[in-house]
Amino acid sequence: MRRILAAVAEKGGDALVFTGIKGGPLRRSGFNKITRWKPVVEALGVPNLHFHDLRHTGNTLAADMGVSLRNLMARMGHDNERAALRYQHRSNSADRAIADGLNALVQAGQKRDGDDDDGAAGSLVPVA
């Protein structure tokens, strides 16, 4: 990475790694043109992929791994929970993890909260 940066970036602590056509900061409005985004994603077979879709996918995968809402917010630069919650979709992998965890409890013969007087409500039943 250092070798690549030495070849493409200007020198100095304030140097830009990615620049616009005239050498200034890369602006959102010029990103697609400079990167040739549309032909690149078409060549990859995903013609409707937007750059922001990559951010959404990465953050959704992080949420699926069980990353806390607070850590997702820090990763994405969000200062409110509502914005970060959109990355926490219901997923089959989360459903599977819940079912596996419940099965582990059943197989271990544990009772909910150690309370023995729940009647039928306290019965653990396999879910898989």
Side-chain angles (χ1 to χ4, degrees):
M1 184 57 110
R2 287 185 180 134
R3 186 177 39 121
I4 293 169
L5 288 176
V8 300
E10 295 179 13
K11 306 297 180 230
D14 293 343
L16 300 172
V17 176
F18 303 104
T19 61
I21 295 171
K22 297 179 181 177
L26 180 59
R27 305 256 184 249
R28 182 181 297 174
S29 60
F31 176 82
N32 289 343
K33 184 176 183 178
I34 290 170
T35 62
R36 298 182 11 117
W37 185 262
K38 189 172 181 176
V40 168
V41 296
E42 285 174 357
L44 292 171
V46 284
N48 295 319
L49 181 72
H50 298 95
F51 186 76
H52 194 82
D53 295 338
L54 302 175
R55 172 184 166 91
H56 188 84
T57 299
N59 290 317
T60 299
L61 292 173
D64 280 351
M65 291 188 306
V67 173
S68 72
L69 185 59
R70 196 58 70 196
N71 284 326
L72 282 174
M73 289 171 59
R75 181 174 200 257
M76 296 180 279
H78 291 160
D79 58 1
N80 69 65
E81 294 174 356
R82 185 170 182 229
L85 282 171
R86 77 175 50 129
Y87 296 97
Q88 294 189 326
H89 305 287
R90 179 191 171 276
S91 71
N92 289 335
S93 61
D95 287 344
R96 181 79 261 150
I98 292 167
D100 290 345
L102 291 172
N103 274 337
L105 286 174
V106 170
Q107 290 172 357
Q110 297 177 356
K111 292 200 180 222
R112 216 174 47 161
D113 298 326
D115 191 3
D116 291 334
D117 61 357
D118 286 340
S123 301
L124 295 176
V125 181
V127 294

